[in-house]
Amino acid sequence: MARPSNFHSHLVDRLGRMIVGGQIGNDGALPREDELATQFAVSRTVIREATKTLQALGLITTGPRVGSRIQPMSSWRLLDPQVMDWITDAGMASGFERDLLELRNMIEPAAAAFAAERGTPAQIGAVAAALEGMADAPGKAEHEAADFRFHEAILEASGNSLLLQLKPILHAVLKASFRLSMHDHERAQASVAIHRHVASAITARRPEQARESMIALLKVAQADIDLAPGRTTSVAERSEGTRNSQETHHARKSRKMDPTRA
């Protein structure tokens, strides 16, 4: 159990993960405050504050005589790093991958081009240092940490303050992408070459080459995902008719119970 000072954040994390994973509120509603207070051994005030946070994140809505009800996934603050973390940890990433890859394709090629054009020598040096960290990584965990630094360093070198604000979101997106694509250390090391093309273009101050190299990197990531064990179709082959595969257990059940929900 978390320390008293962390009860709120600990409870929000527990409830959020349970909601996203379909482990609570299977009838579309959260248990009553007194039931949750007993289950988690906290006061009703702590429960009330936690549900307010979950409401702000879009996971639940509250009202008189109806209590707290689970919202459809379309209402969740999907770009919030904590919410995205819950989604990917709940095993939803295999259905969410298309949206994640599309988001990366919108952000990262432009950031790479800006980095080549605007990055300071120190910022470009940080990109190169992260690349070498990937190349020298002794294991998968170290490789992923260096890969995070590589992509974040590019955002920092872009010189765009709004892109920089996306760094926590990108971290969550990359976490999900790594879970899908990096199946072993050997495959992770094989990705160093394509990352090197991006870094070289940025270092050489060639914006369009940096953009194209990042696009190529993301295509490799998608191809690696498509080759994941147990997959039979590519992301590009998935039609909008497979939308249910992108929903959590809870979102699917809620939508069936209430056909007016998105």
Side-chain angles (χ1 to χ4, degrees), residues 27-159:
D27 60 351
L30 283 182
R32 297 194 313 269
E33 283 184 5
D34 57 341
E35 295 174 351
L36 290 172
T38 299
Q39 179 179 351
F40 293 102
V42 296
S43 69
R44 293 180 63 176
T45 299
V46 173
I47 295 296
R48 195 171 297 120
E49 292 302 315
T51 55
K52 285 181 181 178
T53 300
L54 292 172
Q55 184 175 14
L57 292 173
L59 270 69
I60 64 173
T61 184
T62 61
R65 295 186 298 276
V66 298
S68 297
R69 301 196 63 82
I70 311 301
Q71 289 290 86
M73 195 185 87
S74 59
S75 298
W76 301 353
R77 285 178 54 186
L78 297 175
L79 293 183
D80 183 275
Q82 188 174 29
V83 174
M84 189 173 287
D85 198 46
W86 293 337
I87 293 171
T88 56
D89 284 348
M92 184 180 163
S94 60
F96 205 42
E97 66 205 38
R98 183 195 64 189
D99 295 340
L100 295 176
L101 287 168
E102 286 177 351
L103 182 60
R104 292 188 68 183
N105 273 287
M106 285 186 281
I107 295 172
E108 296 191 78
F114 289 145
E117 183 178 353
R118 308 170 179 171
T120 67
Q123 289 171 333
I124 292 176
V127 174
L131 174 68
E132 295 313 310
M134 291 172 62
D136 298 336
K140 181 179 176 182
E142 294 83 0
H143 182 280
E144 289 186 2
D147 206 339
F148 282 136
R149 292 196 300 274
F150 179 86
H151 291 274
E152 289 179 353
I154 290 175
L155 286 186
E156 291 169 355
S158 73

Side-chain angles (χ1 to χ4, degrees), residues 18 35 37 57 68 208 226 247:
M18 293 175 75
E35 295 174 351
L57 292 173
S68 297
E208 287 309 310
D226 293 340
E247 299 176 326

Side-chain angles (χ1 to χ4, degrees), residues 152-170:
E152 289 179 353
I154 290 175
L155 286 186
E156 291 169 355
S158 73
N160 185 300
S161 59
L162 295 178
L163 284 178
L164 190 58
Q165 290 291 312
L166 296 175
K167 192 161 65 171
I169 296 170
L170 181 62

